[in-house]
Amino acid sequence: MRRIVACAAALALGACATNEGKKPGSVERMYVISCGENHVKDLSRWTPGVNVGKSYEFGNYCYLVRHAQGWMLWDTGNADRLAAMPNGFSTAGGMITAYMKKPLVDSLKEIGVAPADIQHFAMSHSHGDHSGNANLFAGSTLYIQSAEYRAVFGPEPQKYGVIPANFEKLRSAPAMIIDGDYDVFGDGSVLIKSAPGHTPGHQVLVVRLPSRGPVMLSGDMVHLRYSWDNRVVPSFNFNVEQSGRTIDAMKAYAKATGAELWVNHDMEQHKSIPKAPAFVQ
Ligand SMILES: [Zn+2]
């Protein structure tokens, strides 16, 4: 993978020139795109101690941000190839069945956007339900935490639950490898925040919508609104203690900034959020 520049250190010195001089609040709108569903047989795997034996249908969403300077995509959902499997694709020993009823490329086309139009691209983390279509965006700049980069492109990706084929075309793609938070457009309107625990380099995205205000896109920091409210962390997370500390830190950030949390996989919460081709502002 080619590094463009490690900007985090340069920013501290005021020397990272890529994003200077932009006016604040230049996000124009955001599209919330259905990127599959994941049906599970026992929700308690995600909510230890409760929901034992209860089935659940996790939603799965991708987020396309229109900024004055261009497009940014957050997460890529289940793989488009699953659209050819009407009965879904069974994983985790039959515990999860993954569906992709409408390919991401088709949803983007409806909005009038092709993968090649998207200049900025990041995933909350590298698991299959977020990286399913990552290879489509090999022409975009990928923003990834260095810990996640090492997990994906290191010697043992499977150890971190990574499907190496999902990243085949990204090895030589442009990437911004970051450590910590990163202001994508340099105007505070789209902020990647380090939120480790679920995976080594998990991150969340804060988008300052022009009317609605700041929205934090959870990735898998939590899987349900319940998990956020009750600080519930699955035991299969990469680091359970770190996951709890991340929830605490993001709650403090949300309180300080007035950001609302949108939980990617929470089907209940998503009922109230407009979906593409409609958009939110
Ligand atoms: Zn997920």
Side-chain angles (χ1 to χ4, degrees):
M1 179 175 283
R2 180 163 56 89
R3 293 183 189 216
I4 290 179
V5 59
C7 230
L11 271 175
L13 300 169
C16 185
T18 53
N19 296 314
E20 287 177 358
K22 303 298 185 292
K23 67 178 174 18
S26 349
V27 166
E28 294 169 1
R29 58 192 184 275
M30 179 168 76
Y31 297 87
V32 182
I33 301 168
S34 178
C35 271
E37 288 177 18
N38 299 304
H39 297 190
V40 305
K41 287 184 175 166
D42 185 355
L43 184 56
S44 69
R45 194 172 135 84
W46 288 265
T47 57
V50 294
N51 300 313
V52 178
K54 187 183 164 189
S55 62
Y56 188 75
E57 297 178 4
F58 283 114
N60 195 12
Y61 294 90
C62 304
Y63 302 81
L64 181 67
V65 177
R66 177 65 209 180
H67 185 278
Q69 292 178 56
W71 293 101
M72 176 170 182
L73 181 71
W74 175 254
D75 278 339
T76 70
N78 289 346
D80 278 2
R81 64 179 176 277
L82 300 190
M85 303 177 184
N87 298 320
F89 176 74
S90 179
T91 64
M95 291 297 290
I96 306 172
T97 306
Y99 299 85
M100 189 64 169
K101 288 175 181 163
K102 184 175 183 180
L104 173 58
V105 282
D106 291 357
S107 297
L108 291 175
K109 198 174 178 183
E110 253 182 28
I111 299 167
V113 174
D117 298 331
I118 294 168
Q119 304 94 330
H120 308 278
F121 161 50
M123 291 169 280
S124 56
H125 64 297
S126 308
H127 287 162
D129 55 324
H130 301 259
S131 65
N133 297 301
N135 286 321
L136 289 173
F137 306 97
S140 315
T141 296
L142 171 69
Y143 298 81
I144 185 169
Q145 300 289 328
S146 64
E148 198 77 359
Y149 177 89
R150 288 194 298 273
V152 171
F153 295 105
E156 296 183 286
Q158 293 87 350
K159 184 179 145 191
Y160 301 97
V162 173
I163 302 166
N166 284 2
F167 295 87
E168 249 168 19
K169 293 183 181 170
L170 298 187
R171 278 192 178 274
S172 54
M176 183 77 83
I177 298 167
I178 54 181
D179 278 300
D181 300 350
Y182 188 76
D183 185 346
V184 176
F185 295 99
D187 59 8
S189 65
V190 179
L191 190 64
I192 293 171
K193 289 192 69 63
S194 172
H198 182 64
T199 60
H202 186 281
Q203 50 193 9
V204 299
L205 192 71
V206 178
V207 180
R208 292 189 179 277
L209 294 169
S211 301
R212 187 153 181 152
V215 170
M216 180 185 284
L217 306 177
S218 69
D220 286 5
M221 171 181 62
V222 291
H223 292 82
L224 298 169
R225 179 76 209 189
Y226 169 88
S227 315
W228 173 254
D229 292 339
N230 295 281
R231 201 181 188 270
V232 168
V233 173
S235 58
F236 61 78
N237 273 11
F238 171 72
N239 186 324
V240 169
E241 280 190 4
Q242 189 182 42
S243 303
R245 290 197 299 273
T246 283
I247 292 173
D248 297 340
M250 293 305 120
K251 275 186 178 172
Y253 177 85
K255 193 175 178 189
T257 59
E260 55 177 312
L261 182 76
W262 287 7
V263 182
N264 189 329
H265 291 311
D266 191 313
M267 210 61 143
E268 289 304 310
Q269 188 187 31
H270 268 282
K271 286 177 182 167
S272 64
I273 299 172
K275 298 299 176 318
F279 52 81
V280 288
Q281 288 180 304

